[in-house]
Amino acid sequence: MSGELATAATTTRRLGRLDVQVDRTATGCVVTLAGQIDDQAALEAVAAELPVERVGEVVIDLDGVRFINSIGVREWIGLLRRLDARGARVTLRRCSEPMVHQMNMVMEARGDATIESFHVPYVCDVCGGTASRVLPVAAHEQALRARKVPPQPCSECGGAMQFDDFPNRYLLFLD
Ligand SMILES: [Zn+2]
C-alpha cells in the first residue's frame, strides 16, 4: 500500500561529521544522529524539514553522538527551539554520555524534551571493567529521583557494576 510506504519513508543525509537519519512514523518521526555535533552540523535547518505535521511526536536517538562542542550545542538548541515552535513534542532516546554532559552544563540543551533513556558509565567492583549502559528512565524513576543508579551485572565477570560518576552532577539534567 502506497500510504504505508510513505509512512515508513527513511531519509539520510550527512552534515559534516554527523549522520542524520529520519524515519517517518505514524505519529511523527524518529531522528537518529550519529557522529559529531560541531560547527558543520547545521541542525537548525533540519528542524524546518522534519515531518511533524501529524501528531508531532519527534523522537531523537542520540546513541551514536560521540562528540558535541560549544558551537554544536548552539545548533542542537536551535533544533529543539525550532521543533518547539512548530508544536512538536520531543523525546530524547539513548542520550550518549557527551550529550548528558552538555545537558548538565547547559539547561537549554535539554529544553522541554522528555528523556526516555540515557547512557550511564559503569565500573565493575570485581574486575575493574568499564561499560556504558542505556538506562530507561520510566523503569527507574523513583531511584533516579533519589539520585540512585541501579547496579548492573558485569558482562565480563558477572560481578556488580556500579555507577561511575557523581549522581548530583550526572543526573542533574533529569530534573
Ligand atoms: Zn567485572
Side-chain angles (χ1 to χ4, degrees), residues 79-143:
L79 171 69
L80 292 183
R81 286 193 178 144
R82 288 286 284 274
L83 287 174
D84 189 48
R86 294 186 67 199
R89 288 195 305 280
V90 177
T91 297
L92 305 183
R93 176 177 290 168
R94 301 197 297 173
C95 305
S96 66
E97 290 182 29
M99 288 303 296
V100 171
H101 290 304
Q102 278 296 334
M103 289 189 279
N104 281 327
M105 284 188 287
V106 184
M107 266 174 60
E108 294 89 340
R110 183 204 164 162
D112 292 328
T114 299
I115 310 294
E116 181 184 282
S117 57
F118 62 103
H119 277 268
V120 173
Y122 279 97
V123 61
C124 178
D125 281 347
V126 182
C127 73
T130 58
S132 187
R133 300 272 175 85
V134 175
L135 205 67
V137 172
H140 301 286
E141 207 174 348
Q142 276 191 318

Side-chain angles (χ1 to χ4, degrees), residues 43-94:
L43 284 171
E44 209 173 333
V46 170
E49 298 162 21
L50 290 178
V52 298
E53 67 276 8
R54 294 177 196 182
V55 184
E57 288 177 350
V58 176
V59 175
I60 307 180
D61 189 319
L62 298 164
D63 186 55
V65 176
R66 298 278 161 259
F67 174 87
I68 177 167
N69 65 11
S70 57
I71 300 176
V73 82
R74 267 182 261 158
E75 287 290 338
W76 167 253
I77 290 167
L79 171 69
L80 292 183
R81 286 193 178 144
R82 288 286 284 274
L83 287 174
D84 189 48
R86 294 186 67 199
R89 288 195 305 280
V90 177
T91 297
L92 305 183
R93 176 177 290 168
R94 301 197 297 173

